[in-house]
Amino acid sequence: MNERKIESVVFLERDTFNTEFRRPRFDHEWIEFGQTSPQDLVSRLRDATIAICNKAQMRAETLAKLSNLRLIAVAATGVDNVDLDFCKSHGIHVCNARGYAVNSLPEHALMLMLALRRSLIAYGLDVKSGRWHESKTFCLLDHPLSDLRGSTIGIIGYGTLGQSMAQLARAIGMEVLVAERKNERLVREGRTGFEEVLKNSDVISLHCPLTKETRDLIGSEELRLMKSDAVLINTARGGLLDDAALLDALKDGRIGGVGIDVSRVEPPKSPSPLLDADLPNLIVTPHNAWASRQAMQTLADQLIESIEAFVEGQPRNLVV
């Protein structure tokens, strides 16, 4: 009688979650590490058949040394940290998590939009500095106050999260423009040309993956097309934005406000000119738009279910 195979499951970045992960319902060894540095990847995964990672860089030079590895389960939607070409050519499957932040992330993006359109940070600073105490009228009106209802939002990236953002925007009375891919001549039905979206939107919200085509998607030229009071929101990937061009636009008053939840390098290195800028119309949150309590538990449950499905021979959420 053949002994049933015991899977070796190694969780590389357990500290990126503060929720419970139930153990898979198959024979396995479970090993977890709070964080894993690049130099420790090979030693920790040498005997692993299943690796769980979040942002760990699973590159060809590392994967080539892991002869037992059968599955990389990415505890996120984005898989730009994994060498998919190597995995495909060497029989390593890759699955990701999907749809878990369908409420959390759009709500976070909406929060950033509201805070910027209502000059929330600027007025909060005024109150703390005592300016309301000194006011000759009952209120302060020194910074712009604008409604989202009746304004236009341009959504760039129309997957699950982009669609959820559109639904939330329509619910509060915003007009929604869904952008066609940049540099596409043919505009699909239901989409609007990329440049037209930039020119006509009061709010731009990014929801696309980071690829060769989308890196530095918004730079100097794109910022020049936008309205001078427009708000730009990025809860997707830091590499979608040209940080230097964005900072220049903010300082020169060529854009109304920026809300970002992601950085090109995470955690950001110091100094970081954009993230360190002391500007009331720039709001930076630490890549936690996805991480509501409910969303995190959904991700944890989905990830284990996907690993179980793979072991049972019915894989799902496969990228490779």
Side-chain angles (χ1 to χ4, degrees):
M1 179 182 294
N2 293 329
E3 292 186 6
R4 185 172 181 181
K5 181 178 177 60
I6 297 179
E7 303 286 350
S8 175
V9 183
V10 178
F11 197 158
L12 294 170
E13 299 160 281
R14 183 63 177 85
D15 287 352
T16 56
F17 297 90
N18 58 7
T19 193
E20 293 299 318
F21 282 78
R22 69 171 177 81
R23 298 299 183 257
R25 298 189 182 100
F26 53 77
D27 291 340
H28 70 281
E29 174 190 34
W30 178 280
I31 303 171
E32 62 182 44
F33 301 95
Q35 295 291 338
T36 298
S37 61
Q39 57 267 31
D40 290 330
L41 284 171
V42 173
S43 62
R44 291 182 174 182
L45 292 174
R46 194 177 303 280
D47 299 320
T49 56
I50 298 171
I52 302 174
C53 67
N54 193 333
K55 298 295 182 288
Q57 297 296 304
M58 307 294 281
R59 301 304 179 196
E61 57 270 22
T62 296
L63 297 171
K65 300 173 183 177
L66 304 175
S67 57
N68 296 312
L69 193 61
R70 300 169 53 220
L71 174 69
I72 300 172
V74 181
T77 300
V79 292
D80 46 284
N81 58 312
V82 181
D83 190 326
L84 299 180
D85 290 335
F86 182 94
C87 290
K88 186 174 182 178
S89 62
H90 288 77
I92 302 173
H93 292 280
V94 180
C95 68
N96 66 349
R98 306 175 187 182
Y100 57 91
V102 69
N103 297 314
S104 179
L105 188 141
E107 287 183 11
H108 192 100
L110 179 62
M111 173 190 70
L112 294 173
M113 296 173 203
L114 285 165
L116 289 165
R117 293 277 287 184
R118 305 294 296 189
S119 298
L120 185 67
I121 302 300
Y123 280 115
L125 291 172
D126 285 349
V127 170
K128 286 186 177 181
S129 69
R131 291 198 63 242
W132 196 13
H133 293 293
E134 300 163 359
S135 177
K136 292 183 172 60
T137 62
F138 71 95
C139 63
L140 296 179
L141 296 171
D142 300 308
H143 311 290
L145 294 164
S146 299
D147 295 337
L148 283 179
R149 179 174 292 275
S151 65
T152 298
I153 182 173
I155 296 177
I156 301 177
Y158 203 56
T160 301
L161 294 174
Q163 292 172 37
S164 182
M165 186 73 254
Q167 183 179 20
L168 193 57
R170 290 189 180 103
I172 61 171
M174 299 182 78
E175 180 183 350
V176 174
L177 299 178
V178 179
E180 184 54 85
R181 293 189 183 94
K182 189 176 181 179
N183 299 322
E184 284 285 342
R185 293 183 179 180
L186 180 63
V187 178
R188 288 168 286 175
E189 184 177 354
R191 307 288 176 110
T192 302
F194 184 83
E195 291 190 358
E196 188 177 346
V197 168
L198 294 179
K199 292 176 181 177
N200 295 317
S201 296
D202 302 297
V203 178
I204 296 288
S205 192
L206 304 182
H207 299 279
C208 44
L210 180 62
T211 65
K212 292 179 181 178
E213 292 73 27
T214 63
R215 187 172 294 277
D216 293 324
L217 183 74
I218 304 294
S220 298
E221 294 302 315
E222 291 73 28
L223 290 165
R224 287 193 188 98
L225 293 175
M226 294 173 60
K227 296 180 179 181
S228 60
D229 62 348
V231 164
L232 174 62
I233 307 295
N234 184 16
T235 54
R237 283 289 185 268
L240 299 175
L241 301 178
D242 180 331
D243 288 358
L246 194 60
L247 184 56
D248 286 344
L250 279 166
K251 288 181 175 179
D252 295 343
R254 289 185 282 109
I255 189 171
V258 175
I260 55 177
D261 183 58
V262 286
S263 174
R264 295 178 78 91
V265 177
E266 294 177 346
K269 304 300 181 184
S270 184
S272 174
L274 179 62
L275 272 61
D276 296 342
D278 186 15
L279 299 169
N281 59 343
L282 170 63
I283 302 176
V284 180
T285 55
H287 201 152
N288 59 6
W290 64 278
S292 71
R293 175 172 51 86
Q294 296 87 344
M296 193 175 290
Q297 192 60 59
T298 297
L299 185 155
D301 294 342
Q302 184 187 132
L303 188 76
I304 298 301
E305 290 166 3
S306 292
I307 292 173
E308 289 173 336
F310 175 81
V311 171
E312 293 165 2
Q314 299 176 327
R316 65 187 196 184
N317 287 354
L318 287 184
V319 180
V320 171

